[in-house]
Amino acid sequence: MSKTCDVIVLGAGAAGMMAAATAGLRGRRVVLIDHATKLAEKIRISGGGRCNFTNLHARPECYLSQNPHFCKSALRQYTQHAFITLLESYGLSWHEKTLGQLFCDQHSGAVIDMLKAECDRGNVAWRMDTAITAVRRNGQFIVETAAETWHADALIVATGGLSIPQIGATGIGYDIARQFGLDIVETAPALVPLQLPPESLLAEISGVALEDTVARIGKTSFREASLVTHRGLSGPAILQISSFWQPGGEIVLDLAPEQDLDAFFAAASRVAHVGNVLAELLPRRFIDAWLSEEVRARPFKQLSPKEVVALKEKLRRWSLRPSGSAGYKKAEVTRGGVDTQQLESKTMMAKAVPGLYFTGEVMDVTGWLGGYNFQWAWSSGFVAGSNA
């Protein structure tokens, strides 16, 4: 069966629903197609079920891309405050946790319901549980499914990245981009736990939290908590720095960023063992795995000035070389994607393919942890929907 509309949106996630609703509310005839049976599973599972829907500090510097200026226009056109206003217009309330992270007081499903209601206000036609069998262009864009063939002047690709394949992530958006001659910036898991070689000896203390750490790669650093896992390290600081980590590279952790270590060691008990001294800074179980028993058991007064300096350096600059990441199954987002050099930043449209738009995670724009990636979905989705 052949059908015609103005805009076809592929992907009923955060960016896709935002784009569809925005286009529909402009009076455009929109169909939204997704192979999943449920709407926006990434929203549903985010923030422990509360949806970390944006960040008060969202700004271009919080996004990673080979084209770092690309995100500026969209973030300016649709700000975090615009989304907060939309949320409140539906009677939803929110609260701030740490570092500007905003969470819904109700539940993630309330955010999904709001976006669905916006799509319904725009008379968007829904096609869930609908696999796409072909996408082509012959004057208009043509999207084929098993039951229907849709024709439209505009096509918005909001199919997401490769992260969390267990809830339906696929690489179809990249395939469509390549089909129309666009380049793909190499993809990789991002905001993902990092794995360490077995000889790191940390597996035996899985679950130990380091409440205040600074994770650093070069000049990039994040100060938050870190968590020891059975395979390596996780926690907010590690997830943040993972977006900048390249295989084979090292990360550096400052384990006591608030401490004046010179004053701390000067005041340390001279008769206490090294392990007991450090237990004032770090969890005992961590110290037992991090330092050899020989070092831990030595009275602090037996350390030479050179050994004290080495201990300070180890606390300040614990260098680690991860053996890999936990992969797309554990990654919150995908780094890389459709090369934004080939897209118009003010519209999200492909420069060489009029009417073809990309939005959300499928593009080479990766936000920090803490609501930044949802804000990119809202901003880029709004812009695509405003122009398609």
Side-chain angles (χ1 to χ4, degrees):
M1 183 182 296
S2 183
K3 296 191 173 185
T4 301
C5 63
D6 297 317
V7 183
I8 302 168
V9 180
L10 304 183
M17 283 201 287
M18 189 69 175
T22 304
L25 290 168
R26 290 173 51 226
R28 303 285 277 167
R29 295 172 301 149
V30 182
V31 62
L32 181 54
I33 303 173
D34 198 304
H35 71 286
T37 57
K38 295 181 179 179
L39 288 175
E41 279 296 280
K42 238 182 184 181
I43 294 179
R44 193 177 306 279
I45 66 175
S46 72
R50 293 288 182 182
C51 187
N52 180 194
F53 61 86
T54 193
N55 195 293
L56 288 175
H57 308 309
R59 60 194 187 280
E61 295 77 17
C62 303
Y63 293 86
L64 176 64
S65 174
Q66 287 194 5
N67 181 13
H69 298 293
F70 178 80
C71 64
K72 290 181 177 179
S73 178
L75 292 173
R76 186 168 56 248
Q77 289 184 61
Y78 193 87
T79 68
Q80 57 270 46
H81 305 292
F83 192 80
I84 292 169
T85 298
L86 175 63
L87 205 75
E88 292 176 341
S89 74
Y90 275 81
L92 301 181
S93 55
W94 51 272
H95 59 278
E96 179 183 356
K97 286 193 176 179
T98 59
L99 303 173
Q101 300 171 25
L102 301 191
F103 291 77
C104 183
D105 286 342
Q106 287 73 26
H107 51 80
S108 298
V111 178
I112 298 172
D113 291 344
M114 177 193 75
L115 292 167
K116 184 179 185 303
E118 284 290 280
C119 287
D120 291 342
R121 281 208 311 129
N123 297 311
V124 172
W126 296 91
R127 293 296 185 273
M128 300 299 295
D129 195 16
T130 301
I132 297 163
T133 57
V135 176
R136 50 196 173 88
R137 188 184 185 210
N138 184 13
Q140 288 186 311
F141 292 95
I142 302 169
V143 175
E144 297 179 10
T145 71
E148 300 171 324
T149 298
W150 285 91
H151 300 254
D153 291 331
L155 174 65
I156 300 177
V157 180
T159 50
L162 298 171
S163 57
I164 323 183
Q166 56 270 38
I167 62 171
T170 74
I172 187 174
Y174 309 134
D175 295 336
I176 293 170
R178 291 189 188 98
Q179 178 183 333
F180 287 100
L182 278 69
D183 295 330
I184 304 297
V185 175
E186 183 178 2
T187 61
L191 301 182
V192 63
L194 295 176
Q195 298 180 340
L196 297 174
E199 59 269 22
S200 69
L201 302 178
L202 293 183
E204 61 197 65
I205 58 167
S206 176
V208 170
L210 305 173
E211 297 296 340
D212 188 13
T213 59
V214 173
R216 179 177 289 106
I217 293 176
K219 294 182 179 180
T220 301
S221 64
F222 294 93
R223 182 176 176 180
E224 292 193 62
S226 295
L227 175 70
V228 179
T229 71
H230 67 290
R231 290 188 175 180
L233 292 170
S234 187
I238 300 302
L239 297 181
Q240 293 278 36
I241 208 66
S242 73
S243 296
F244 298 82
W245 178 77
Q246 298 290 342
E250 72 170 18
I251 64 171
V252 176
L253 286 183
D254 183 343
L255 300 175
E258 273 293 293
Q259 285 292 329
D260 179 341
L261 292 181
D262 289 333
F264 175 77
F265 283 121
S269 168
R270 315 313 293 173
V271 297
H273 292 167
V274 171
N276 291 335
V277 171
L278 293 184
E280 296 182 32
L281 297 177
L282 297 165
R284 170 67 72 174
R285 287 179 64 209
F286 177 80
I287 295 168
D288 290 346
W290 188 60
L291 290 178
S292 69
E293 183 177 359
E294 178 185 1
V295 173
R296 296 196 313 269
R298 287 179 65 186
F300 188 77
K301 65 181 180 181
Q302 290 185 7
L303 295 183
S304 68
K306 185 176 180 179
E307 288 173 322
V308 172
V309 169
L311 191 56
K312 291 177 187 176
E313 179 67 9
K314 188 174 175 67
L315 286 163
R316 281 280 180 253
R317 294 184 53 82
W318 181 32
S319 296
L320 297 162
R321 197 171 296 276
S323 56
S325 79
Y328 288 114
K329 284 188 176 181
K330 298 293 185 181
E332 297 201 12
V333 293
T334 303
R335 186 179 71 207
V338 177
D339 188 349
T340 58
Q341 298 279 4
Q342 299 173 308
L343 306 177
E344 295 179 353
S345 63
K346 293 181 179 180
T347 65
M348 304 291 122
M349 189 178 76
K351 295 175 181 177
V353 190
L356 177 62
Y357 299 80
F358 292 85
T359 183
E361 188 183 346
V362 73
M363 292 185 284
D364 174 35
V365 177
T366 304
W368 291 359
L369 181 74
Y372 294 96
N373 287 290
F374 275 133
Q375 183 58 47
W376 177 243
W378 316 139
S379 295
S380 62
F382 173 84
V383 171
S386 296
N387 288 279

